Amino acid sequence: MSKALFIAEKPSVALEFAKTLNIKGSKKDGFIESDEAVVTWCIGHLVTMSYPEKYDEKYKKWMLKDLPFLPHKYKYEVINNVKKQFDILMTQLKRADISTIYVCTDSGREGEYIYRLVDELVGVQDKIKKRVWIDSQTEEAIKKGVKNAKPLNEYDNLANAAYLRAKEDYLMGINFSRLLTLIYGRPLSKQLKKNHVVIAVGRVMTCVLGMIVQREREIRDFVKTPYYKINSSFQLDESVDYDGEWKAIESSKYYMSHLLYKDIGFKEKAAAEKFINELKDHDTEVYGIVEAIKKKKETKKPPMLYNLAELQNELSKKLKISPDETLKIAQKLYENKMITYPRTDARVLSNDVAKEIQSNLKGLLRIKQSCNLDPKDEAINQFVQKILTEGLYKDLHKTKYVNDKAITDHYAIIPTGQGLGSFNKLTDQEKETFILITKRFLAIFYPPAIFSQLSITTKIKSESFFTTSKVCIQEGYQVVLNADKKHGSGKSDKEETLKQLKKGQKIKVNHYEIKESETSPPKRYNSGSIILAMESAGKLIEDEELREKIKGSGIGTSATRSGILNKLQQISYIGLNKKTQILTPTTFGESIYDVVKGSIPSLLKPELTASWEKGLDMIAKGEIQSDEYMTKLEDYIRRNTQKVLKLSKNANLVKGSTHHSYPSKNNTGTNKTREIKQPLGKCIACETGKIYENRKAFYCSNWKNQCKFTVWKNSLALYEQRVDKEIIKELLEKGKIEKISIVLPQTREKCVASLEFKNSKNGGLELKNVIRINE
């Protein structure tokens, strides 16, 4: 009698399949067998790509002459610590009584790859092979997946993409890591005072490192610019007043003035004070005139459903947990049948799911009796009842939350309505994650939130002050997402009073206020925002709706992004503050970044990394052929290998020399050599150290002893002046440079100014006595 063989990705999933399919057999070592079927499992990856030395023993020693390494036929081998399970799987696959194989590994590119590698090494022939594709592990989904299983060869394009992804990571890692380590490893180890340095390079990993380093340097190089905003308080009647914020619009006397920072304030406090004096009429009371009143309603729809990236970002902010921890939590909820497949990029549902969504909602009706909810979450049951009773789910297919075209492998993460019996056994973080997913899901059935917005323009002489008031008049979906907060919609008395204002009405001016502000540097990435930036090919887009509109192929996939961040931490390229989830590069990571930037800078470009991912997506869809992709990949590796080898010859890397160097790029884009140089003078801060130059700044040799003297080369970039070593030398010798050419950033006027150190503790530069050349 012939049998069916079911192969899952994990033992726990295999047990679930056996239970659901009523395969009541004896549990043996590595599999379960009944009269009709056998259920077995992988343990994640059982097979891996062989290292170069398996092709030829000579590759065990890293040599430049052996690069690039581009095998014609790739070798694979069983991973040692899971060989026992591989052998069990092989025995089952080769059994004569097994006629049909159901591939039940995770429904995605990596799940496909896990089985295909086993199939290739075992050489499975003359058996029917079917692919089970499911979006959740509920009994209904598993039964439906097995019933509708398609021939495995219908997923050949997905398998091709999986193989190519692995080859791409392998070739880039092997070739570029060896290449850069052999050329720059020794000088870098001396610079960092390490015994040995291996430069680890990865297609996605190096790009993400670049994003984090570049952001850190933007922050480090940022020079704060102070500016002064003007506010005015207007008295409407004895009980109501309102504030207005000044802007320099076209009718303003100061429109496009060089005294302004943009159009919202003055660069100098004195100018702001002068402006206020010009508005005052010291003999009589000052009045403003209401120039315009605009009233409008703003409608805000519920946010899109969670995909993995959005969930990781949300939990990074709310629970301060890493993307990897979020993925583990989501995976557990999935295996407990509580949510749908978490490794998804989609934020919408399919039409098929929308038609059956009532069953998810009916399942959630049991949440009150099955789950010990926190009091703030008890209203969930009421929300579900309202959706079902009023039929709010019936037109779901007509909304933006259903779109078959925006789904590749899986739809968005939603609760299944099942597995609720497991809720009370979850950790607090797991419970909160499930509640967040459930609330986001329920919110899409509720109406939009509606806001009343009132905009008032009040004029004093020729200057305009702007007032905006926004009030929620219909909570809509917000009652679901903010169920733990006190709500109150409707217009305030003040809002109603302000609405009575009329154009041309005279309003008394109470007083003016100068508010000091300053420009802010960009924010460091946290573990959630970096995931969003990776999803959007390096662009951190805070606005959720805009992010959804422009979303395309990103850097890495939903399944791999958290692993990339883990790897960067493990090899000490970046650090993660667990309390804040803020990411920063280490000194080692910045050095690796400099090496890559000076040798293979394209590895740091998010656009290029995303384009490789887009190519893999096109392979999966059958839009391009594997050979075409592989040709481009190998060409990229050959070109960059030759380029770096040529760079290394020009860099005069002398074996045993104490002046090893590695290339970087100066501001003109030409290659130069980075090396130890002569001191420029004595440090004015600690008075014992010497001042040296590196690629970005001038620093004290006593920096390890806490001397903070630093002058950044771009510290005068705002004034179109670069700080070079001649300027630093003169300042160290004389303490001041009498005349230096600058350009004012707002007006583009050419000026001269004196230049000196801001203070003696940490260096920094200060411009004084600015004189316009045309005055």
Side-chain angles (χ1 to χ4, degrees), residues 129 215 354 460 642 659:
K129 300 174 190 175
R215 176 58 57 85
I460 305 174
Q642 293 305 316
H659 293 291

Side-chain angles (χ1 to χ4, degrees), residues 731 735-737 754-758 764-769:
L731 286 172
K736 186 176 184 179
I737 295 176
S754 60
L755 180 68
E756 55 190 80
F757 290 120
K758 190 173 287 186
L765 297 175
E766 186 172 17
L767 290 169
K768 291 186 174 180
N769 305 317

Side-chain angles (χ1 to χ4, degrees), residues 648-663:
S648 69
K649 289 177 183 176
N650 295 335
N652 293 322
L653 290 169
V654 183
K655 188 176 181 181
S657 167
T658 58
H659 293 291
H660 292 293
S661 59
Y662 58 89

Side-chain angles (χ1 to χ4, degrees), residues 579-629:
K579 287 185 178 179
T580 63
Q581 291 295 306
I582 296 293
L583 295 164
T584 51
T586 62
T587 302
F588 187 26
E590 289 204 50
S591 298
I592 298 297
Y593 168 87
D594 286 329
V595 168
V596 176
K597 187 177 181 183
S599 53
I600 315 175
S602 58
L603 284 173
L604 299 168
K605 293 181 179 177
E607 302 84 2
L608 179 69
T609 307
S611 74
W612 289 115
E613 199 66 55
K614 180 70 174 174
L616 292 173
D617 185 53
M618 293 171 76
I619 293 284
K621 292 175 180 175
E623 295 172 3
I624 59 174
Q625 297 300 310
S626 297
D627 289 347
E628 180 186 347
Y629 188 91

